[in-house]
Amino acid sequence: MTTDQHGLTLSGTGGSAAGHYDQAIDHLLHFRMEVEDEAGAVLAEAPDSPMGNVLSAYLGLLTTEAEDARQARRSFAAFRARVDHAALLPRERAHVEAVQALLDGDFASCGSQLARITEQHPRDALALAAGHQIDFFVGDARSLRDRIGGALSAWHEDDRHYGHVLGMYAFGLEEAGHYDRSEEVGLRAVELNARDVWGIHAVVHTYEMQGRFAEGIRYLDARVGDWSTGTFFNVHNWWHYALYALEAGDHARALAIYDAVLAAGRSSMELLDAAALLWRLYLEGDIRHERWQALADAWPARVHEPFYAFNDAHAVMSYVGADRIGDADKLIAGREAYLGHALPGVSNHAMTARVGLPVCKALVAFGRGDHRQVVDLLYPIRHRVNEFGGSHAQRDAVQKTLLESAIRGGRHDLARVLVSERINVRPCSPFNWLKQGTLAEAIGDSAAATAARLRAGDLMRQVSSAFVTGGE
């Protein structure tokens, strides 16, 4: 039997196939497109390689694309029919069971099985990377932190992928609110590997959460060549750059990024970034139906069946933005029918019921101007929106929708609470002060409105002064 680059035994995988497997893991940790070619090369050399088939299945399942999942399901079923499950090595058997749980739609069981693998094999980079993505998909900040933190002591600085493990840990620390430690770990990860786009992403998230927008801009500008090309994560990091532009009040720059990068997105992950950016502009009255139309056209094939509630919400944003409320209503009706079936163990079923469907209905209500309904739908779930996945930064689109409807719907006491929460967490956010100004104006306090907008203007100038590149 051969071993992989981290010292783990691979059965049914000869030396050449093992080399392709190692290269595939390296590409995976770098978020490079070539991971699919190398994964295919493993199976071309060793069709019954357990870890080769496991890797290929994870690649199909972690895209959140229903068609990719169907193909993974067929291929993995054929593999399982050919091999003796009992004869697999224990680690490989555990991976097969984790993949099967994911194929069955059970994110929780898959994540738990992967955690058990890393308890015994903390240097299993695939178990760590797949588990980290599962934690992200279900919005579990504690597991994002502790899954990686619990394995970290088994890694050392001379390990080829130590920096990537640090990058994952930095993101988990950020989502769990440990911003100082996240920045320290993330910067070290990128120091070890300048093209660790997930590590760069973790640092950018940390600056976002602290309202250190100017620092985030400078950090991204200094590393444009490392994060902006050559990976399937380019679009998402450009999305973060555009968020910084919005904080600077620079809608033109944000839209230039949209047109140059985000509008060309094709995967669900890229489409939701595009929708999330345009929705933030939509909340400010910048509707731009022409951009929404192309985005709305891209969603139906990806959400025609229930698969991932987080994607559903962004599809509905696109339909509302394109003034295609009928399409949004159709999606919602389909999800209501889906919830009428008992599907125990299917994580998306619970995610849709508890968060996805209320969010989708609220987005439609916002499009119709029914701000009372938006508040009634979103306020009860605002502290558990994480349950349908994504990051704090991504889910802020939902929180901003609630705030905007509270202001427009005359729920001024609630709006005051929401604005106060935001300002006291991120007092240097221009957006938060602009909302304070809008609220003050709504309740007739012109002096407070003027003071808040002056504060927002000062902060926007500070953020804007940090831009070096054109952001395009």
Side-chain angles (χ1 to χ4, degrees):
M1 292 187 183
T2 55
T3 58
D4 71 8
Q5 61 199 311
H6 301 122
L8 301 171
T9 303
L10 301 172
S11 70
T13 310
S16 178
H20 287 299
Y21 178 82
D22 285 343
Q23 194 57 48
I25 295 299
D26 185 64
H27 288 317
L28 176 65
L29 296 174
H30 280 93
F31 287 77
R32 295 184 188 124
M33 305 286 191
E34 292 86 347
V35 62
E36 293 185 359
D37 292 338
E38 290 296 334
V42 176
L43 296 182
E45 294 269 354
D48 291 337
S49 162
M51 291 308 297
N53 279 278
V54 161
L55 169 62
S56 183
Y58 283 134
L59 293 178
L61 292 167
L62 296 177
T63 65
T64 73
E65 302 273 0
E67 181 56 36
D68 290 347
R70 268 192 292 276
Q71 293 179 14
R73 190 172 290 112
R74 288 193 294 267
S75 298
F76 203 69
F79 160 71
R80 294 203 70 177
R82 295 194 305 268
V83 300
D84 179 0
H85 184 71
L88 297 176
L89 297 174
R91 181 181 71 93
E92 295 174 335
R93 188 161 57 246
H95 266 293
V96 168
E97 292 167 359
V99 167
Q100 191 60 56
L102 194 53
L103 286 166
D104 294 338
D106 190 343
F107 289 150
S109 292
C110 177
S112 295
Q113 181 70 292
L114 288 167
R116 286 190 287 273
I117 292 172
T118 55
E119 286 173 9
Q120 298 179 32
H121 306 282
R123 290 173 54 75
D124 187 331
L126 180 57
L128 288 173
H132 192 61
Q133 291 303 311
I134 292 294
D135 295 336
F136 175 72
F137 290 151
V138 301
D140 188 340
R142 181 180 299 175
S143 289
L144 277 166
R145 179 193 65 194
D146 292 345
R147 182 186 300 274
I148 308 302
L152 193 55
S153 62
W155 292 79
H156 307 287
E157 291 213 5
D158 58 352
D159 290 330
R160 180 184 185 190
H161 295 126
Y162 176 69
H164 292 92
V165 179
L166 284 182
M168 287 188 279
Y169 189 45
F171 182 68
L173 288 165
E174 175 273 316
E175 287 296 292
H178 306 284
Y179 301 132
D180 290 347
R181 180 69 175 137
S182 173
E183 180 182 9
E184 176 188 357
V185 173
L187 291 174
R188 179 57 178 151
V190 179
E191 181 184 346
L192 289 169
N193 185 344
R195 295 190 67 83
D196 179 2
V197 293
W198 191 258
I200 291 171
H201 163 259
V203 175
V204 169
H205 266 273
T206 297
Y207 292 149
E208 166 79 14
M209 290 298 99
Q210 294 177 297
R212 296 163 62 189
F213 308 110
E215 288 179 72
I217 292 164
R218 294 186 189 102
Y219 187 78
L220 285 174
D221 275 340
R223 292 161 182 80
V224 170
D226 294 326
W227 59 263
S228 64
T229 60
T231 78
F232 51 82
F233 209 58
N234 304 340
V235 169
H236 187 69
N237 278 331
W238 275 116
W239 176 77
H240 278 285
Y241 199 105
L243 292 191
Y244 290 140
L246 292 182
E247 285 287 349
D250 194 341
H251 289 194
R253 188 186 300 267
L255 286 168
I257 293 170
Y258 182 89
D259 291 337
V261 184
L262 276 74
R266 293 294 176 264
S267 69
S268 290
M269 181 176 73
E270 293 173 345
L271 292 173
L272 70 84
D273 282 338
L277 180 61
L278 290 185
W279 186 257
R280 284 163 169 79
L281 292 166
Y282 185 90
L283 292 174
E284 299 304 308
D286 192 345
I287 296 175
R288 300 179 186 269
H289 287 309
E290 70 281 1
R291 286 186 174 88
W292 281 115
Q293 291 293 348
L295 192 54
D297 287 342
W299 274 113
R302 291 172 170 81
V303 293
H304 71 279
E305 64 183 275
F307 190 70
Y308 186 44
F310 196 66
N311 289 352
D312 293 345
H314 289 81
V316 169
M317 287 179 192
S318 302
Y319 296 147
V320 172
D323 198 24
R324 288 160 50 171
I325 300 292
D327 288 337
D329 286 338
K330 181 179 178 181
L331 188 153
I332 288 169
R335 296 310 181 257
E336 289 177 327
Y338 167 63
L339 293 180
H341 302 282
L343 297 171
V346 176
S347 301
N348 185 61
H349 194 268
M351 292 160 74
T352 298
R354 287 177 56 79
V355 178
L357 194 55
V359 168
C360 288
K361 288 181 176 180
L363 295 170
V364 172
F366 189 93
R368 289 185 167 129
D370 189 347
H371 298 294
R372 179 179 294 275
Q373 186 179 23
V374 174
V375 173
D376 288 346
L377 286 164
L378 293 185
Y379 184 74
I381 67 169
R382 72 187 185 108
H383 290 313
R384 55 181 170 87
V385 175
N386 63 292
E387 292 180 9
F388 83 151
S391 66
H392 293 301
Q394 289 175 307
R395 295 187 298 266
D396 199 37
V398 177
Q399 305 296 350
K400 286 181 173 180
T401 303
L402 171 60
L403 171 57
E404 193 63 36
S405 282
I407 294 173
R408 294 191 193 186
R411 299 285 296 274
H412 295 152
D413 287 343
L414 172 59
R416 179 193 56 76
V417 169
L418 298 174
V419 171
S420 182
E421 288 176 354
R422 296 182 70 94
I423 284 178
N424 283 292
V425 169
R426 290 194 289 181
C428 25
S429 166
F431 172 87
N432 293 342
W433 286 102
L434 285 172
K435 290 299 115 178
Q436 174 78 342
T438 302
L439 175 59
E441 184 175 61
I443 62 178
D445 190 342
S446 59
T450 298
R453 285 172 176 151
L454 286 172
R455 175 66 173 148
D458 288 342
L459 291 169
M460 283 192 284
R461 284 187 287 276
Q462 291 174 30
V463 179
S464 185
S465 69
F467 284 110
V468 175
T469 72
E472 303 175 45

